């Protein structure tokens, strides 16, 4: 397969990621400390206050999935007694560790100095870091973020998180790094975050235009990269989102769709979809192609909200730094209860004038998957638009069945056509 | 006085009755009574009881329920308990239940709380979170507020206040229940041939479907009867079973393990009545008492974070020692993230402590017991051979 054609923002992001891996793998030379932490509810701005480099094992698993090495890692972990039933991110991580733990830049990952267990929206996180802690025997800082069971956060939850930040996380990071916490630094980083977040939201909202200048799922994983990972709070992220915004604006001007991996603008958009669930990474391009080949563009998705619902108004707030970190953690997509998720998806189908909701259900991920069938039916009922369901896995190639997915997609598009004919609308 | 067989038959009838006739009768006996269902693993039953409600354990559908609708709600790679619980709901078997509590155990039950809200909007449905920070001033004070919220929710449901004295009275009853439950388990560990797990299990499951005072009496009766009976002692090996804290195995699976030559002297089945390992103080603020007992004296299980690496799995090792188990059967529901993610860590600790173990998976509706009987039998033989 030829190389993916990259836009300027993609190249910028690639650079940023490479620099971060370099910072991680050179920690012994530079003396910088490294933390491992998770994407949802990650506290990048806080880590930056201590000069700690942020390593995200989920991102490493994605990288190994895209480089097609995750399958071997997973099998290695299963050989070592990890169940075939559990999240494959965990097994990709553990398998990679037992195979020399080589980073994408070819250098070995150093052991982390701290595991920052920001426990938001997914049960597996807790066990994942208990498993890593067993291996690394390094300090582990647990930040328990309560689930929004009643569909909203409460002052009790927020206070609990702030208290943990003040009494557990910050003192722990001070100890690991030897750096005193400076709240003004945090404020400065949060101001940077908010700027980048504004531009991200602008980009995501352009999915409302026809033809859509973005793909909010496959393209979306690139758009959210910097803000969800090790760059939120940096000036690099501000620059990245400025560049992304300029690219999207240019496509709007030219009435163009998003650029596909083969480098052509995807203009012939027949179907507009909202997608629920994470993508598959082992066959990412193949999966994407199944959509644009059929003329389907994704105009909004829930996956681009796992690291925060910025489009629903949340911004990091320099005036209330710790409270704003707490609100951020509380508001990540998988920390919302199912009625809230249904409300959000329904809103997307309506506001983005989509033809329906497509769910990619991930075998690994109960946090997303448990309840998706009911959610789909409910969104169908409320919007009157048909839904469809495909199944795959994140990084386990054994669970990607191209033929099955293709078949389902094709029948789904036929269903949309029928629905359109039925309601007398032109395609 | 009743014999063990009579008591166990009564328990088994309750356990098998998926129409919950007894709970329905309890509710109908007095106007205004409310029933509050709860799922595994832990909710503070004292508060439900103090509100005058019957806490009703909902542990899925077991192996006798035919799941017809539930499968349409869950993909094949999700465990059984949520789909059979939905089945119970859709088939109106739970139509008399006024409130449902979904405790924190994993993302499946967590998400099920939202499904319940959407499917049964007239039922008071609450996701019940327990803290994962075990510092009294952090997790403890958060948990006190959570418990207050639960109390307020129940007050709304029943339409009257739940006073501190109400709570203290209920705590006293549940302290007694915990003491008796511990006694039964200690009796089983001492004389497992007199109190087989297939009986003890039913005795405990039934307790989660009846009034606590009634169950206290039943526990006393059972122990007295079991002590009197003279049952043959076999040359069985003593095992502990872990990993079965949420979706429960079919009763036949427990029986199969026993028939394969194992005395189960320790387990984590329906853990709720041992979740708190000490009495809850009845003096002072009862909410604080409940909260701090959770913080300081609750069991180690997969739905809790273990703050220190060196403590991980040590609860299991200690319990194996205390109960004199010679090996561990780590038996988990298929697709159960909590049990399966924990399994390697717990098993490492068992290995370090030279405790042999085997592991297998089951589903609440598993039918074929032959492989399990063979596995457990081989395990028992190998323990006998090497000990
Ligand atoms: S279970 Fe889902 S949310 Fe959790 S780590 Fe795995 S993929 Fe991520
Ligand atoms: S059986 Fe395991 S995965 Fe299923 S609901 Fe219970 S704890 Fe969760």
């Amino acid at each position: 397969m030829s190389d993916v054609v990259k836009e300027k923002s993609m190249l910028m992001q690639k650079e940023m990621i490479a620099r971060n891996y370099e910072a991680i793998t050179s920690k012994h030379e530079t003396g910088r400390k490294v933390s491992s932490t998770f994407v949802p509810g990650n506290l990048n701005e806080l880590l930056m206050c201590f000069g700690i480099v942020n390593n995200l094992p989920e991102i490493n698993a994605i990288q190994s999935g895209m480089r097609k090495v995750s399958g071997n890692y997973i099998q290695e972990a299963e050989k070592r007694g990890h169940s075939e039933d559990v999240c494959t991110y965990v097994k990709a991580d553990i398998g990679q560790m037992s195979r020399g733990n080589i980073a994408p830049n070819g250098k070995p990952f150093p052991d982390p100095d701290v595991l920052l267990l920001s426990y938001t929206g997914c049960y597996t996180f807790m066990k994942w870091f208990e498993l890593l802690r067993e291996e690394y025997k390094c300090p582990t800082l647990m930040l328990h973020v309560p689930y929004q069971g009643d569909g909203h956060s409460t002052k009790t939850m927020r206070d609990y998180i702030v208290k943990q930040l003040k009494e557990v996380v910050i003192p722990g990071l001070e100890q690991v790094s030897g750096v005193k916490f400076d709240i003004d630094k945090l404020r400065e980083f949060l101001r940077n975050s908010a700027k980048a977040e504004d531009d991200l939201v602008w980009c995501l909202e352009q999915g409302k235009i026809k033809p859509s200048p973005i793909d909010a799922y496959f393209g979306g994983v690139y758009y959210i990269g910097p803000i969800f990972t090790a760059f939120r709070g940096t000036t690099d992220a501000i620059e990245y989102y400025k560049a992304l915004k300029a690219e999207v604006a240019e496509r709007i001007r030219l009435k163009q769709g998003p650029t596909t991996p083969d480098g052509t603008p995807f203009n012939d958009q027949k179907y507009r979809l909202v997608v629920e669930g994470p993508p598959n990474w082992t066959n990412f391009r193949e999966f994407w192609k199944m959509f644009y080949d059929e003329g389907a563009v994704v105009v909004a998705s829930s996956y681009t909200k796992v690291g925060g619902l910025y489009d629903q108004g949340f911004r990091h707030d320099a005036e209330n730094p710790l409270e704003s970190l707490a609100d951020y953690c509380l508001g990540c997509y998988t920390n919302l209860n199912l009625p809230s998720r249904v409300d959000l998806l329904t809103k997307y189908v309506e506001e983005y004038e989509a033809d329906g909701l497509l769910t990619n259900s991930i075998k690994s991920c109960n946090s997303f998957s448990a309840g998706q069938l009911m959610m789909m039916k409910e969104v169908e009922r409320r919007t009157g638009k048909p839904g469809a369901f495909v199944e795959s896995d994140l990084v386990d190639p054994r669970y990607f069945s191209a033929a099955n997915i293709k078949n389902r997609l094709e029948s789904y598009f036929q269903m949309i056509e029928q629905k359109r004919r039925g309601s007398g609308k032109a395609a | 006085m009743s014999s063990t067989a009579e008591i166990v038959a009564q328990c088994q009838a309750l356990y098998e009755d998926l129409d919950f006739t007894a709970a329905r009768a309890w509710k109908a006996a007095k106007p205004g009574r409310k029933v509050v269902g709860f799922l595994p693993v832990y909710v503070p039953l004292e508060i439900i009881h103090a509100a005058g409600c019957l806490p009703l354990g909902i542990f899925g559908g077991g192996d006798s329920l035919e799941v017809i609708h539930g499968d349409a709600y869950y993909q094949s790679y999700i465990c059984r308990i949520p789909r059979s619980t939905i089945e119970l709901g859709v088939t109106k078997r739970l139509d008399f239940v006024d409130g449902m509590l979904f405790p924190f155990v994993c993302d499946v039950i967590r998400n099920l709380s939202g499904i319940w809200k959407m499917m049964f909007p007239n039922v008071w449905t609450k996701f019940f979170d327990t803290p994962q920070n075990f510092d009294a001033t952090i997790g403890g004070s958060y948990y006190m507020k959570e418990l207050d919220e639960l109390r307020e929710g129940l007050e709304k449901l029943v339409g009257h206040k739940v006073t501190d004295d109400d709570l203290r009275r209920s705590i006293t009853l549940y302290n007694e229940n915990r003491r008796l439950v511990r006694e039964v388990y200690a009796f089983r560990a001492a004389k497992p041939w007199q109190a087989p797990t297939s009986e003890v299990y039913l005795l405990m499951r039934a307790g989660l479907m009846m009034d606590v005072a009634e169950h206290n009496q039943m526990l006393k009766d059972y122990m007295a009867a079991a002590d009197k009976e003279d049952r043959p002692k076999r040359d069985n090996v003593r095992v502990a079973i872990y990993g079965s804290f949420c979706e429960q195995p079919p009763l036949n699976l427990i029986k199969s393990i026993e028939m394969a030559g194992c005395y189960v002297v320790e387990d984590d089945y329906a853990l709720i009545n041992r979740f708190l390992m000490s009495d809850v103080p009845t003096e002072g603020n009862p909410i604080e008492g409940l909260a701090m007992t959770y913080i300081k004296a609750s069991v180690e299980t997969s739905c809790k974070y273990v703050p220190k690496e060196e403590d991980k799995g040590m609860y299991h090792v200690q319990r194996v020692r205390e109960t004199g188990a010679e090996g561990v059967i780590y038996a988990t529901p298929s697709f159960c993230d909590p049990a399966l993610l924990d399994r390697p860590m717990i098993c490492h600790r068992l290995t370090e402590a030279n405790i042999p173990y085997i592991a297998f998976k089951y589903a609440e509706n598993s039918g074929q017991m032959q492989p399990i009987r063979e596995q457990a039998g081989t395990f028992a033989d190998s323990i006998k051979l090497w000990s």
Side-chain angles (χ1 to χ4, degrees):
Chain A
M1 209 179 263
S2 61
D3 262 2
V4 179
V5 176
K6 293 201 161 61
E7 304 196 51
K8 186 172 160 233
S9 64
M10 283 168 109
L11 294 170
M12 275 175 89
Q13 179 165 187
K14 200 175 168 204
E15 265 279 294
M16 287 155 75
I17 294 171
R19 259 185 282 133
N20 196 54
Y21 276 123
E22 207 47 44
I24 295 167
T25 52
S26 65
K27 84 158 201 182
H28 293 302
E29 293 95 77
T30 60
R32 286 185 74 176
K33 302 291 182 198
V34 171
S35 86
S36 275
T37 196
F38 296 110
V39 168
N42 93 56
L43 301 171
N44 198 53
E45 299 90 342
L46 195 63
L47 288 168
M48 283 166 62
C49 293
F50 301 95
I52 297 176
V53 194
N54 188 349
N55 186 16
L56 298 123
E58 292 142 298
I59 303 298
N60 301 337
I62 293 174
Q63 293 271 352
S64 68
M66 286 183 130
R67 286 183 292 124
K68 301 205 183 289
V69 287
S70 55
N72 289 338
Y73 292 157
I74 290 165
Q75 284 181 24
E76 180 69 40
E78 287 176 1
K79 261 194 252 155
R80 289 166 181 255
H82 293 272
S83 166
E84 63 267 33
D85 293 351
V86 302
C87 171
T88 47
Y89 274 176
V90 180
K91 285 183 287 183
D93 190 25
I94 287 177
Q96 174 170 317
M97 229 154 63
S98 51
R99 294 242 180 134
N101 218 6
I102 303 299
N105 64 4
K107 299 176 188 173
F109 271 119
D111 289 0
D113 298 285
V114 60
L115 298 170
L116 177 53
L117 204 182
S118 59
Y119 175 53
T120 296
C122 164
Y123 167 86
T124 299
F125 290 161
M126 183 159 93
K127 295 295 140 182
W128 190 345
F129 272 13
E130 282 188 353
L131 284 159
L132 292 197
R133 183 182 66 178
E134 192 186 41
E135 189 70 25
Y136 294 124
K137 310 259 187 257
C138 67
T140 306
L141 304 171
M142 154 65 108
L143 176 70
H144 175 206
V145 176
Y147 180 62
Q148 294 199 17
D150 283 333
H152 54 83
S153 62
T154 62
K155 185 175 175 304
T156 305
M157 295 174 183
R158 192 195 218 206
D159 292 348
Y160 174 44
I161 300 171
V162 169
K163 202 156 191 223
Q164 292 177 80
L165 288 173
K166 282 187 183 158
E167 296 180 26
V168 180
V169 178
I170 292 174
L173 294 175
E174 282 183 331
Q175 206 171 10
V176 166
S177 64
V179 175
K180 188 106 198 74
F181 175 57
D182 175 357
I183 199 154
D184 289 326
K185 256 194 180 169
L186 179 62
R187 289 182 206 277
E188 182 194 324
F189 297 143
L190 293 175
R191 261 189 289 273
N192 289 346
S193 300
K195 272 188 210 150
E197 287 156 6
D198 281 344
D199 283 346
L200 165 75
V201 169
W202 184 88
C203 293
L204 292 177
E205 285 182 339
Q206 304 318 304
K208 290 177 185 164
I209 294 177
K210 291 177 191 174
S212 170
I214 63 162
D215 183 286
Y217 190 53
F218 299 103
V221 305
Y222 294 95
Y223 313 152
I224 58 174
I227 212 98
F228 281 12
T229 62
F231 309 101
R232 208 183 54 238
T234 64
T235 47
D236 277 355
I238 300 180
E239 292 309 313
Y240 168 84
Y241 284 101
K242 255 194 220 154
L244 181 67
K245 189 175 174 182
E247 276 167 17
V248 175
E250 179 62 5
R251 291 201 290 266
I252 297 172
R253 195 181 66 79
L254 299 171
K255 295 200 176 351
Q256 275 184 0
T259 314
T260 64
D262 352 294
T264 46
F266 173 27
N267 298 338
D268 185 19
Q269 301 177 358
K270 288 199 237 133
Y271 311 108
R272 297 167 60 83
L273 304 180
V274 171
V275 175
E276 147 72 14
N280 158 275
W281 302 109
T282 52
N283 299 66
F284 185 77
R285 280 185 67 183
E286 191 185 351
F287 195 20
W288 189 351
K289 196 165 171 356
M290 288 180 199
F291 283 68
Y292 62 78
D293 276 356
E294 294 286 338
V297 68
V298 182
V299 289
S301 71
S302 56
Y303 185 64
T304 48
K305 314 296 155 28
V306 285
L309 270 76
Y310 299 109
D311 64 330
Q312 302 303 303
F314 173 80
R315 291 293 179 279
H316 281 89
D317 173 12
E319 299 312 310
N320 301 290
L322 297 182
E323 294 74 13
S324 138
L325 288 177
D327 291 344
Y328 166 64
C329 292
L330 281 163
C332 292
Y333 180 73
T334 48
N335 206 46
L336 306 184
N337 74 355
L338 265 53
S340 309
R341 295 185 201 183
V342 167
D343 288 346
L344 188 72
L345 292 167
T346 303
K347 194 168 159 189
Y348 285 159
V349 172
E350 282 162 358
E351 287 183 358
Y352 286 74
E353 297 184 53
D355 294 297
L357 173 74
L358 175 90
T359 301
N360 180 35
S361 178
I362 294 291
K363 175 182 182 287
S364 273
C365 182
N366 282 343
S367 176
F368 262 103
S369 302
Q372 273 174 334
L373 281 160
M374 157 94 191
M375 284 167 59
M376 182 183 73
K377 280 180 217 146
E378 192 59 22
V379 175
E380 274 182 331
R381 193 185 63 80
R382 290 201 210 165
T383 60
K385 305 273 174 71
F389 208 79
V390 295
E391 293 177 331
S392 64
D393 189 61
L394 298 159
V395 288
D396 193 335
R398 292 172 295 187
Y399 297 106
F400 188 85
S401 163
N404 270 342
I405 296 178
K406 216 166 165 359
N407 273 341
R408 292 256 184 118
L409 287 177
E410 280 167 9
S411 0
Y412 182 43
F413 298 135
Q414 281 171 15
M415 202 154 82
I416 294 175
E417 290 290 356
Q418 272 169 16
K419 186 102 192 163
R420 281 179 182 164
R421 280 197 298 272
S423 60
K425 266 194 212 157
Chain B
M1 205 182 85
S2 317
S3 66
T4 52
E6 282 162 347
I7 298 170
V8 171
Q10 192 189 343
C11 293
Q12 182 148 2
L14 273 173
Y15 162 85
E16 282 171 357
D17 179 13
L18 293 176
D19 290 316
F20 305 98
T21 318
R24 285 176 190 273
W26 179 90
K27 180 170 166 166
K30 264 194 203 164
R33 277 187 165 178
K34 306 268 183 198
V35 175
V36 175
F38 63 88
L39 271 84
V41 176
Y42 173 73
V43 290
L45 301 181
E46 292 86 342
I47 307 186
I48 304 172
H49 183 268
C53 303
L54 177 73
L56 178 68
I58 311 281
F59 281 74
D63 57 352
S64 60
L65 181 75
E66 194 187 351
V67 173
I68 298 163
H69 308 88
D71 283 339
Y73 289 83
Y74 286 98
Q75 302 89 312
S76 57
Y77 44 81
I78 291 173
C79 60
R80 300 287 312 170
I81 183 170
R83 68 189 79 219
S84 57
T85 305
I86 292 265
E87 188 73 25
L88 292 174
V90 173
T91 52
K92 303 204 181 321
R93 289 175 164 96
L94 298 174
D95 59 1
F96 67 105
V97 174
D98 307 280
M100 280 286 272
L101 296 179
F102 295 84
F104 170 79
V105 45
C106 75
D107 296 340
V108 174
I109 288 196
R110 182 195 75 172
N111 288 6
L112 181 57
S113 70
I115 295 193
W116 216 265
K117 275 182 194 283
M118 289 191 278
M119 288 180 71
F120 306 103
N122 297 327
V123 176
W124 173 65
T125 297
K126 187 171 168 59
F127 169 73
F128 178 72
D129 211 355
T130 35
Q132 302 295 343
N133 172 297
F134 299 95
D135 189 315
T137 62
I138 306 173
S141 59
Y142 163 70
Y143 191 39
M144 282 173 64
K145 290 184 191 138
E146 278 286 290
L147 292 177
D148 272 329
E149 255 180 44
L150 177 64
R151 161 152 67 173
E152 284 158 23
L154 282 157
E155 284 176 344
K156 248 200 210 152
L157 181 74
V158 295
H160 60 77
K161 283 273 161 215
V162 179
T163 67
D164 283 359
D165 278 335
D166 294 334
L167 276 169
R168 289 190 194 101
R169 270 191 294 276
S170 298
I171 289 173
T172 305
L173 281 169
Y174 278 95
N175 278 342
E176 191 188 355
N177 189 258
R178 276 184 283 266
R179 268 198 301 270
L180 290 164
V181 163
R182 281 197 299 267
E183 269 176 44
V184 171
Y185 282 114
F187 178 79
R188 177 186 68 171
K191 295 180 185 170
W193 57 94
Q194 296 284 80
T197 292
S198 42
E199 286 185 5
V200 172
Y201 177 72
L202 289 171
L203 185 68
M204 298 306 175
R205 282 289 303 272
L208 302 173
M209 303 167 83
M210 62 169 66
D211 183 70
V212 61
E214 209 185 310
H215 189 234
N216 286 347
Q217 189 55 49
M218 187 181 246
L219 291 168
K220 286 182 205 160
D221 293 347
Y222 176 82
M223 240 170 340
D227 203 27
K228 274 207 194 106
E229 276 169 32
D230 212 2
R231 303 202 208 181
K233 182 181 170 185
R234 296 183 204 286
D235 180 29
N236 283 4
V237 302
R238 303 164 60 88
V239 300
I241 293 184
Y242 292 122
S244 311
F245 45 83
C246 181
E247 180 179 316
Q248 301 292 290
L251 188 59
N252 267 339
L253 188 145
I254 302 175
K255 288 185 176 162
S256 296
I257 290 172
E258 292 185 320
M259 278 186 315
C262 300
Y263 281 138
V264 181
V265 292
E266 154 75 351
D267 64 64
D268 60 3
Y269 296 136
L271 200 52
I272 182 164
N273 57 16
R274 288 100 83 210
F275 202 89
L276 302 182
M277 295 184 295
S278 67
D279 278 3
V280 177
T282 43
E283 307 293 308
N285 176 351
I287 290 289
E288 187 175 353
L290 281 167
M292 295 310 152
T293 312
Y294 166 83
I295 293 285
K296 293 189 192 125
S298 50
V299 289
E300 179 188 333
T301 182
S302 304
C303 57
K304 277 175 62 192
Y305 175 64
V306 176
K308 286 196 191 128
E309 200 270 329
E310 59 272 27
D311 293 343
K312 182 78 196 174
M314 292 317 283
Y315 169 82
H316 303 80
V317 171
Q318 194 190 332
R319 286 297 296 158
V320 166
R321 301 267 189 257
E322 281 167 7
T323 54
E326 298 161 276
V328 168
I329 297 180
Y330 202 90
T332 62
S334 292
F335 306 108
C336 176
D337 281 345
L340 291 167
L341 286 162
D342 247 1
R343 191 176 69 189
M345 291 182 276
I346 308 290
C347 293
H348 284 164
R349 280 288 137 85
L350 297 174
T351 306
E352 283 166 16
N354 279 322
I355 299 166
Y357 66 86
I358 51 164
F360 61 74
K361 295 191 284 187
Y362 63 82
E364 64 179 9
N365 62 344
S366 292
Q368 259 292 348
M369 288 304 150
Q370 190 58 22
I372 283 170
R373 204 172 306 159
E374 277 169 19
Q375 229 184 320
T378 314
F379 184 54
D381 290 344
S382 73
I383 289 176
K384 274 187 211 158
L385 195 63
W386 299 111
S387 60

